[in-house]
Amino acid sequence: MMQQILIIVNDAPYGSEKLFNALRLAIQLNEQESSPAKVKLFLLSDAITAVLPKQNPSEGYNLQQMLEIVIAQGGEVKFCGSCMQARGLSDLVVIEGCQVATMDDLAQWVLTTDKSVTF
């Protein structure tokens, strides 16, 4: 039986490694054969800026590539529309496969997943 796992991230994509580690976990969960999982990732607060394409960090990890891997593996990625609006980012293009969502969407995910993890 496939587990539903929700990962919630609140921290900015760069500066700490919380989102990086959340994405590493999501990718690993999607690769588990003995205990398959359906991963859902919800980005809140400053984490929402990770869905903006063509970011070019000077060194380290590529979050866009990691998000695209999670999506290609069948994971779902949603981000808070209110958080985007509060930061003046609502009209910007986002990485393909990432979906704008509401707190109601997050509430539904919390109620229907087997496990939730926050970063």
Side-chain angles (χ1 to χ4, degrees):
M1 184 172 174
M2 186 174 294
Q3 292 186 67
Q4 302 279 327
I5 300 176
L6 172 60
I7 300 173
I8 303 168
V9 185
N10 288 286
D11 210 9
Y14 301 99
S16 82
E17 293 186 349
K18 289 183 180 181
L19 181 56
F20 171 65
N21 287 322
L23 290 168
R24 289 176 54 213
L25 176 60
I27 291 167
Q28 285 301 310
L29 287 167
N30 282 329
E31 291 179 353
Q32 299 302 306
E33 293 180 16
S34 61
S35 182
K38 168 72 173 168
V39 175
K40 298 177 179 185
L41 181 69
F42 200 97
L43 306 176
L44 290 162
S45 301
D46 288 339
I48 54 96
T49 59
V51 302
L52 301 175
K54 301 179 184 175
Q55 294 183 38
N56 190 19
S58 58
E59 57 185 64
Y61 43 88
N62 184 321
L63 295 175
Q64 178 173 348
Q65 185 178 51
M66 294 177 80
L67 281 166
E68 289 169 344
I69 290 169
V70 170
I71 293 165
Q73 291 175 323
E76 291 183 64
V77 177
K78 292 188 178 183
F79 58 93
C80 176
S82 298
C83 298
M84 288 289 272
Q85 186 175 24
R87 288 157 181 79
L89 305 174
S90 298
D91 296 334
L92 297 179
V93 174
V94 300
I95 296 168
E96 187 175 338
C98 296
Q99 302 170 7
V100 66
T102 64
M103 193 56 66
D104 185 56
D105 295 318
L106 177 58
Q108 290 302 311
W109 272 6
V110 168
L111 291 171
T112 59
T113 55
D114 298 308
K115 296 176 182 165
S116 297
V117 181
T118 60
F119 283 85

